[in-house]
Amino acid sequence: MMTTQEIMELAMEMSQLEVEPADSGIYVEGNGIKNVFFGIDIGVEELLWAKQQGFDLVIAHHPPNAALRYEDIYKRHATFMMQAGIPAEEAHSAIADKLVDLHIQSKTENFTRVVGMAKLLNMPFMNIHAPIDEITRKTLQKTIDDMLPATVSDIVHEMNQIDPFPHSPVKVEAIMGDPQQKVDRLPVLIGAFTNGGYHIAKVWFNHGFPGVVYMHIAPQEFQKLKADFPERVLVLTGHMPGDYVGALIFLRELKKRGINVVSVGFPELI
């Protein structure tokens, strides 16, 4: 048995993040947890079903408050760039417009609905976003780094061997650039709340990086990126299978600790 705080601490330990991020939290605390229901997105319907089924805890991946207070997480994109040697001024400039967008978007969010219902139901409820994404990022980055230098097609093939991709209709795919191109660097830009879009990839490309890995990108930003950087590589993991890379690793660890876990996605892989 575990508590909600112990489960959060486990996620932090596995991700090696030092400070609990603003996009993760415990909304209704729970103790003596033996049965966990997990989903990437949790709404009122899932909370009601979990309550009826007698689960001790519901864990969401995505935060129930959508864009609320999450600008600080997006700043990790600048951190990734600076760690790779990109000047701080340029890194912070690349994220500036999106930070404003996230702040404005936060004013539209219904931040009481799902959390409020969890409290009314007395249903222990938490979400773990950045820590699970960081587990995903590190897993994919290690897979890539262990191969380098390698062709894009070989990298994509190897990534598609990681659970849950063999069981997913959505596969890792290089949607931009020559798949036979050999690369010596390929940063995985996951774990910063949401994808970096055009502006983040542009900075990496301008600094000589042959490609980047995203979970997803808006179609219009992809088209602009492809027009401006036709020789560069963009690899997409897909949102749901990408999220489940880290989620499966984390949920399997819960299971090792005696917790029964039921997952909305890829339940057969837990």
Side-chain angles (χ1 to χ4, degrees):
M1 293 188 293
M2 300 178 71
T3 68
T4 46
Q5 185 59 42
E6 287 170 342
I7 289 173
M8 183 65 78
E9 288 171 358
L10 175 62
M12 294 296 293
E13 178 184 339
M14 291 178 66
S15 65
Q16 298 180 317
L17 294 176
E18 295 181 357
V19 179
E20 185 176 313
D23 67 350
S24 305
I26 299 168
Y27 309 102
V28 179
E29 293 184 353
N31 301 292
I33 294 164
K34 296 183 291 186
N35 296 292
V36 168
F37 178 65
F38 175 86
I40 298 297
D41 295 292
I42 294 293
V44 172
E45 308 95 315
E46 289 84 1
L47 289 172
L48 285 167
W49 183 83
K51 184 72 173 182
Q52 291 169 353
Q53 297 298 314
F55 284 93
D56 303 314
L57 171 66
V58 176
I59 303 177
H61 175 51
H62 291 149
N65 298 331
L68 209 58
R69 300 184 293 107
Y70 301 146
E71 296 100 315
D72 282 349
I73 308 301
Y74 193 79
K75 291 176 184 177
R76 295 195 75 212
H77 275 300
T79 300
F80 294 155
M81 286 187 272
M82 290 185 290
Q83 288 173 342
I86 295 171
E89 183 177 352
E90 193 170 351
H92 287 295
S93 176
I95 67 172
D97 288 345
K98 184 68 173 182
L99 290 179
V100 173
D101 290 347
L102 288 172
H103 183 70
I104 292 173
Q105 185 182 342
S106 73
K107 305 300 183 184
T108 71
E109 300 299 338
N110 183 343
F111 55 86
T112 64
R113 180 172 177 260
V114 179
V115 171
M117 279 302 299
K119 291 177 179 178
L120 288 173
L121 290 167
N122 195 28
M123 180 75 244
F125 180 45
M126 64 190 295
N127 95 285
I128 307 172
H129 193 228
I132 284 178
D133 279 354
E134 181 66 2
I135 295 170
T136 294
R137 186 185 72 84
K138 287 181 175 177
T139 299
L140 297 181
Q141 191 69 70
K142 185 178 188 306
T143 299
I144 293 169
D145 290 347
D146 286 349
M147 297 181 67
L148 297 176
T151 65
V152 174
S153 62
D154 284 347
I155 291 171
V156 167
H157 174 78
E158 196 63 26
M159 291 173 72
N160 273 317
Q161 307 313 303
I162 301 169
D163 277 342
F165 294 112
H167 307 269
S168 171
V170 176
K171 307 294 186 183
V172 180
E173 183 181 356
I175 64 165
M176 203 174 95
D178 179 4
Q180 298 311 312
Q181 177 183 347
K182 184 171 283 191
V183 297
D184 60 355
R185 296 176 293 175
L186 192 63
V188 178
L189 306 182
I190 288 170
F193 184 64
T194 190
N195 83 86
Y198 174 85
H199 295 288
I200 300 297
K202 175 184 175 182
V203 173
W204 288 90
F205 293 163
N206 282 339
H207 280 269
F209 284 80
V212 298
V213 178
Y214 279 176
M215 274 192 184
H216 50 80
I217 189 171
Q220 64 272 22
E221 298 212 21
F222 159 67
Q223 294 295 346
K224 187 177 180 182
L225 207 57
K226 186 176 181 180
D228 290 352
F229 300 94
E231 304 302 317
R232 295 293 196 255
V233 172
L234 178 61
V235 174
L236 298 185
T237 67
H239 196 169
M240 289 302 106
D243 275 342
Y244 266 104
V245 170
L248 287 172
I249 293 170
F250 175 69
L251 296 175
R252 286 167 178 169
E253 185 60 33
L254 284 181
K255 189 174 181 181
K256 288 178 185 177
R257 295 170 184 241
I259 304 298
N260 177 55
V261 179
V262 174
S263 171
V264 175
F266 307 102
E268 72 281 7
L269 299 182
I270 304 298

